[in-house]
Amino acid sequence: MASAVTPPPQAVTSRGRRRTGATPRRLPYLLIAPAGLLMLGFIAYPVLSVFYYSLQNYNPTKPWRNGFAGLDNFTRIFTDDPRFWGTLTFSLKWVVVEVTLQLLFGLALALIVNQTFVGRALGRALVFSPWAVSGVLTSAIWVLLYNSQTGISRYLADLGIGTYGTSWLSDTATVFPAAIVADLWRGVPFFAILILADLQSVPKDLYEAAEVDGAGRVRQFVHITLPHIRDAIVLSTLLRAVWEFNNVDLLYTLTGGGPAGETTTLPLYIAHTSVDAHNFGYASALTTVAFVILLFCSMVYLRLSKFGGDAT
Amino acid sequence: MTAESTLSPAPADVTPPRQAQPPDRTPPPAARVRRRAWDEVPRWQIYLPLGIYLLFTLVPFYWILLFAVRPAGSTSLLPWPMTTAHFEKVWNERSFGVFFQNSLLIGVAVLISTTVVALAGGYALARFDFRIKKGFMLALLCSQFVPGALLLVPLFQIFAELRMINSLGSVIIAETVFQLPLSMILISGFIRNVPYSLEEAAWVDGCNRFSAFRIVVLPLLRPGLVAVGSFAFVHAWNHFLFALMFLSSQDKQTIPVGLNTLMGADSVDLGALAAGGVIAAVPVVVVFGFIQKWLVTGFSAGAVKG
């Protein structure tokens, strides 16, 4: 490891040849080509076809109505679809609550396990482990925990807390917190891991200098730690927010969007519209709207947080 | 913690309270006296919140383990008497054995392809200024905004065209593509943390760009690559939409798809669901636990400081 920090002077493969393998001007393009081509073929092209379908009436089960629709789908979304506004509002509420809690807990967790203490490696491994579990598996675990017959509520009822047969997932009053807790379980480690990774790169001599200048723990955190991990926080928050917005796995399998459509996010509504109702044209229009909203919010967020402003 | 730091005016020679930072390496002798103070964060401020969080983390794991080994009909909160009946059932009757192999194959393939492709791209983003860089970065971010669920139909059409439906390759490609943007952003961040001057020094010593990267940068990147690779593996292992849509025959299916079927029709069989969940969780959690240790030592060894 130490030898890696100081470049070994003799261990060279092609001495005497050109310093760079390819002309510097072309090299970056060559390097991004594999990723770029894959994304062009398997993300950009499908996205464009979604945009295309958003202007069509396209429903494989009703082929006689298929054809160019112009902006009809979009007009219907904004003027004649109460479910759109309902699911959009729930999506925003879901993302804001979920990501805020995840970030706060994740940051706290990262700062704690960044300390030196006995059993740190084991502690880290254990608290981060739910991160390895996601999607269907998270749902399976929490379906078992929330089960009205054999779940936690039954054992709480044994202790005299609550009543037997309580199903937190089918009660409109408890379904939101129940889903939030299930999602926090696997979301907090994501933040904690990314923030911890960045915490490790903060130069320690900065803290030493700050100590010499008499800065306390809080001031060191605000003036040294936070600025250093800012980009990690900005990026992980943005990615997580978008991911939480788009993710259908958890809510679909945990609550099915219910009870009474109470936990249907916009993407879940889109999935219902396309996969279950086969109304692919309208679903594509909804996706386009969701895409624009996310894009706009993300740009505003990146601008406000001055992402990458001091990147070297 | 606030009170402590505001009360002490902390002149230079007094040891002020500490900010979170692990002395992973033994501090140089000169700094030892001051550095000892890193350990002054009260122990309870670490163990109490960590303990509470640990409880929240582990209870769900315990719950699914309990249901997996508990005989049907039992309501005991302790895992005995123990039975392996649920495991035998899902492994043999529900073909979780076959699913397991498929998932493993997909996960490893996605890990390798994602890391290699993202490493190349991430290096370009970290070390070069080129004309389409901003646009490319923007495309990376934008690609994250698309609900993956809705790309299923166009993707299905593409793979049908390529005659890749019902081959594991389709899932490997789709998972890799959706892992790439985040992986590339992360890797370019890790590379940016390695001072460019290290590479330049290697060039002066006669390395070309590639050998300088391999000898100087790559070893320092190991923790980052482990993180990105495990991200990719875990996502590919857990994700089920692509496998569900692109793999039609039973012998090509993956673990999450099997789990989804258990949750559907006969959700009454909680034991089978729990056993399936444990089978799905154990590999990722075990691999993660192993990587976690590696990550800690990797970070402390690979950190670039003066």
Side-chain angles (χ1 to χ4, degrees), chain B residues 71-273:
Chain B
S74 162
T75 55
S76 163
L77 277 178
L78 296 173
W80 49 79
M82 219 180 258
T83 171
T84 55
H86 300 307
F87 286 103
E88 284 159 22
K89 187 178 170 194
V90 285
W91 191 265
N92 298 322
E93 290 170 35
R94 301 307 202 116
S95 16
F96 265 58
V98 180
F99 300 162
F100 194 91
Q101 284 179 9
N102 294 336
S103 282
L104 204 61
L105 196 71
I106 291 174
V108 171
V110 170
L111 187 162
I112 294 170
S113 56
T114 303
T115 314
V116 170
V117 176
L119 188 59
Y123 184 80
L125 291 177
R127 289 293 194 243
F128 293 98
D129 263 322
F130 49 101
R131 195 183 293 237
I132 61 165
K133 181 170 162 179
K134 282 224 147 153
F136 190 72
M137 288 290 276
L138 200 67
L140 290 185
L141 283 173
C142 288
S143 68
Q144 302 292 304
F145 304 151
V146 191
L150 205 87
L151 294 189
L152 283 175
V153 177
L155 279 176
F156 188 90
Q157 289 168 346
I158 293 172
F159 286 124
E161 201 71 26
L162 296 171
R163 299 186 183 282
M164 285 179 76
I165 294 299
N166 204 26
S167 96
L168 296 185
S170 62
V171 179
I172 292 171
I173 291 180
E175 300 290 357
T176 300
V177 168
F178 279 85
Q179 280 310 300
L180 272 179
L182 177 61
S183 307
M184 226 177 317
I185 292 171
L186 284 175
I187 289 183
S188 80
F190 285 118
I191 294 178
R192 240 179 248 122
N193 276 338
V194 179
Y196 202 21
S197 52
L198 284 185
E199 267 176 85
E200 289 169 332
W203 303 346
V204 171
D205 289 333
C207 286
N208 63 24
R209 200 177 259 282
F210 179 74
S211 58
F213 175 78
R214 192 171 54 82
I215 296 167
V216 178
V217 185
L218 207 54
L220 296 174
L221 282 184
R222 247 191 319 197
L225 292 183
V226 167
V228 169
S230 45
F231 263 66
F233 176 83
V234 165
H235 271 268
W237 179 274
N238 286 325
H239 197 231
F240 89 117
L241 265 183
F242 293 148
L244 186 72
M245 293 292 283
F246 305 150
L247 306 174
S248 44
S249 66
Q250 172 88 358
D251 62 319
K252 293 279 171 58
Q253 286 299 359
T254 61
I255 289 257
V257 180
L259 206 55
N260 188 50
T261 19
L262 287 182
M263 288 176 75
D266 46 337
S267 55
V268 214
D269 193 351
L270 295 174
L273 177 61

Side-chain angles (χ1 to χ4, degrees), chain B residues 44-94:
Chain B
W44 69 267
Q45 282 187 15
I46 293 173
Y47 287 118
L48 186 69
L50 196 64
I52 294 171
Y53 196 81
L54 207 56
L55 208 63
F56 173 57
T57 299
L58 294 183
V59 163
F61 280 124
Y62 179 73
W63 207 257
I64 195 168
L65 268 174
L66 179 70
F67 274 67
V69 300
R70 207 168 70 170
S74 162
T75 55
S76 163
L77 277 178
L78 296 173
W80 49 79
M82 219 180 258
T83 171
T84 55
H86 300 307
F87 286 103
E88 284 159 22
K89 187 178 170 194
V90 285
W91 191 265
N92 298 322
E93 290 170 35
R94 301 307 202 116

Side-chain angles (χ1 to χ4, degrees), chain A:
Chain A
M1 233 12 81
S3 70
V5 179
T6 22
Q10 300 310 327
V12 173
T13 47
S14 59
R15 259 184 303 166
R17 288 224 247 116
R18 274 193 307 159
R19 273 232 186 106
T20 48
T23 38
R25 191 177 302 187
R26 274 198 212 140
L27 185 57
Y29 293 101
L30 281 176
L31 289 172
I32 62 165
L37 290 177
L38 278 173
M39 287 169 56
L40 222 51
F42 296 96
I43 298 183
Y45 171 72
V47 166
L48 289 179
S49 70
V50 165
F51 291 164
Y52 168 77
Y53 284 128
S54 72
L55 301 174
Q56 308 278 325
N57 282 319
Y58 179 50
N59 185 338
T61 61
K62 295 175 188 161
W64 59 91
R65 286 178 52 190
N66 291 355
F68 185 69
L71 295 174
D72 285 1
N73 286 329
F74 292 98
T75 322
R76 199 180 128 202
I77 289 174
F78 290 111
T79 57
D80 194 25
D81 187 354
R83 289 210 69 191
F84 168 74
W85 296 107
T87 55
L88 179 64
T89 316
F90 177 75
S91 289
L92 296 179
K93 180 177 153 195
W94 170 261
V95 169
V96 168
V97 172
E98 192 59 60
V99 173
T100 309
L101 290 176
Q102 284 179 9
L103 173 61
L104 291 179
F105 283 122
L107 180 61
L109 194 60
L111 287 173
I112 289 171
V113 297
N114 195 29
Q115 303 282 348
T116 320
F117 56 90
V118 179
R120 179 173 73 170
L122 183 66
R124 278 186 187 178
L126 289 178
V127 294
F128 287 169
S129 52
W131 163 81
V133 170
S134 58
V136 188
L137 188 46
T138 307
S139 305
I141 290 176
W142 289 87
V143 158
L144 286 169
L145 274 162
Y146 288 152
N147 186 284
S148 61
Q149 300 306 314
T150 55
I152 292 258
S153 66
R154 177 214 159 90
Y155 296 93
L156 286 178
D158 280 344
L159 298 172
I161 307 164
T163 50
Y164 286 98
T166 308
S167 180
W168 289 320
L169 290 176
S170 47
D171 186 337
T172 48
T174 49
V175 66
F176 185 67
I180 288 279
V181 168
D183 203 29
L184 276 182
W185 183 73
R186 58 120 180 233
V188 169
F190 170 89
F191 270 105
I193 291 170
L194 282 188
I195 293 173
L196 178 67
D198 226 36
L199 277 179
Q200 313 261 343
S201 73
V202 184
K204 288 193 181 104
D205 45 351
L206 285 183
Y207 294 110
E208 284 165 25
E211 273 164 40
V212 172
D213 292 341
R217 238 159 96 188
V218 174
R219 287 187 58 194
Q220 288 185 19
F221 176 74
V222 172
H223 294 291
I224 301 174
T225 312
L226 266 189
H228 259 91
I229 62 173
R230 192 188 66 195
D231 276 4
I233 290 182
V234 169
L235 194 63
S236 47
T237 305
L238 177 64
L239 289 172
R240 197 67 196 177
V242 171
W243 201 87
E244 288 289 351
F245 184 91
N246 281 334
N247 175 35
V248 292
D249 294 14
L250 182 89
L251 284 175
Y252 184 82
T253 38
L254 197 62
T255 69
E262 192 78 6
T263 56
T264 306
T265 57
L266 180 55
L268 201 47
Y269 174 45
I270 293 173
H272 282 310
T273 312
S274 76
V275 178
D276 302 338
H278 301 290
N279 198 342
F280 195 58
Y282 191 63
S284 297
L286 284 169
T287 310
T288 309
V289 172
F291 181 78
V292 170
I293 292 173
L294 278 178
L295 199 61
F296 177 75
C297 293
S298 306
M299 290 307 124
V300 169
Y301 176 74
L302 285 181
R303 182 57 58 91
L304 287 178
S305 59
K306 300 192 183 70
F307 175 67
D310 56 2
T312 39

Side-chain angles (χ1 to χ4, degrees), chain B residues 277-297:
Chain B
V278 171
I279 293 173
V282 161
V284 274
V285 170
V286 165
V287 164
F288 176 72
F290 170 73
I291 280 169
Q292 173 59 33
K293 277 183 208 155
W294 207 95
L295 211 65
V296 175
T297 48

